[in-house]
Amino acid sequence: AQSVTQPDIHITVSEGASLELRCNYSYGATPYLFWYVQSPGQGLQLLLKYFSGDTLVQGIKGFEAEFKRSQSSFNLRKPSVHWSDAAEYFCAVSTGNNAGNMLTFGGGTRLMVKP
Amino acid sequence: EAGVAQSPRYKIIEKRQSVAFWCNPISGHATLYWYQQILGQGPKLLIQFQNNGVVDDSQLPKDRFSAERLKGVDSTLKIQPAKLEDSAVYLCASSPGQGANTEAFFGQGTRLTVV
């Protein structure tokens, strides 16, 4: 069975600093990988996804992630964090089927941004 | 385009009572998912529908949880009887249902508190 580990439960960065959120997955086949963001009281919003091809994927809000098969990782990065980026971030792996994606989520990383 | 609609937003019930949640997916989306998100954890898939059929319900606790999507559009998730450990946010998501290379769009969720 697939699983996702996000080692950092909380991260605090200063506004304008760079950010990297870690994600490790366990999955026997080629994974479909996702990063979602969840603001308080809101649903999940997709930041970016990796299905195949270029291992560096660009997403919305200036985020990017790099797929490293050898390390079973899919870390999320942003060069300069804004106060509005404070939220909870979830990495997910999918077992795709003809109907869509059944997502297995990690436990999440809560990002706090210092002014 | 309207997003995924869920109601109610909040619900408080006593243990052993029953409760139902409603979800209306994005128009035209064939695939609908229900996820359970316990506080401090990532969402966990409960059930996936394609149109009015169940694709996967292996993680649905069928002794107390049931879900239906009779006309292949909106869906209800029911818990009967509720337990304290069912306190969570119940997220509904939908996707076009045209294979794994698709994005799931999430609703804002229903926060259930069982006392």
Side-chain angles (χ1 to χ4, degrees):
Chain A
Q2 66 275 11
S3 65
V4 177
T5 302
Q6 294 180 247
D8 304 305
I9 297 175
H10 294 99
I11 283 185
T12 300
V13 300
S14 298
E15 190 168 17
S18 63
L19 171 70
E20 182 169 26
L21 302 182
R22 296 183 292 164
C23 172
N24 294 98
Y25 68 89
S26 172
Y27 185 54
T30 301
Y32 298 149
L33 295 161
F34 304 78
W35 275 99
Y36 282 85
V37 61
Q38 186 176 39
S39 298
Q42 301 299 311
L44 295 159
Q45 181 183 25
L46 181 68
L47 289 175
L48 48 78
K49 60 189 178 186
Y50 171 78
F51 288 144
S52 64
D54 193 347
T55 56
L56 184 63
V57 294
Q58 303 296 320
I60 62 171
K61 304 184 180 185
F63 286 93
E64 66 178 26
E66 186 171 12
F67 169 58
K68 293 185 177 180
R69 183 186 300 274
S70 61
Q71 299 177 19
S72 297
S73 69
F74 188 56
N75 294 347
L76 182 71
R77 300 193 295 248
K78 187 170 185 178
S80 178
V81 170
H82 188 263
W83 64 266
S84 61
D85 293 324
E88 187 138 26
Y89 291 80
F90 292 95
C91 181
V93 65
S94 163
T95 53
N97 55 48
N98 289 335
N101 285 286
M102 297 190 297
L103 298 168
T104 298
F105 286 88
T109 298
R110 181 169 297 279
L111 174 66
M112 291 172 279
V113 181
K114 292 189 300 185
Chain B
E1 178 183 84
V4 176
Q6 291 189 246
S7 67
R9 287 295 311 277
Y10 306 92
K11 189 74 176 179
I12 301 174
I13 63 171
E14 295 182 348
K15 60 183 179 183
R16 291 187 291 274
Q17 286 187 321
S18 62
V19 65
F21 313 127
W22 176 81
C23 172
N24 194 27
I26 292 172
S27 178
H29 279 194
T31 301
L32 184 148
Y33 315 81
W34 283 101
Y35 286 85
Q36 179 194 56
Q37 185 177 18
I38 293 172
L39 185 65
Q41 300 181 17
K44 183 184 82 171
L45 179 71
L46 294 175
I47 189 167
Q48 178 188 8
F49 291 96
Q50 183 175 30
N51 298 311
N52 62 350
V54 175
V55 176
D56 190 286
D57 63 356
S58 57
Q59 298 189 83
L60 187 73
K62 298 181 186 65
D63 57 334
R64 297 183 300 107
F65 286 66
S66 64
E68 60 183 16
R69 195 185 183 199
L70 294 176
K71 296 182 179 179
V73 180
D74 57 344
S75 175
T76 56
L77 176 69
K78 297 179 181 178
I79 307 175
Q80 182 178 12
K83 293 185 176 181
L84 296 176
E85 59 261 36
D86 299 331
S87 295
V89 175
Y90 291 85
L91 295 164
C92 179
S94 70
S95 68
Q98 296 169 353
N101 188 17
T102 58
E103 175 184 349
F105 295 84
F106 284 80
Q108 291 185 296
T110 296
R111 181 177 296 276
L112 173 67
T113 302
V114 183
V115 298

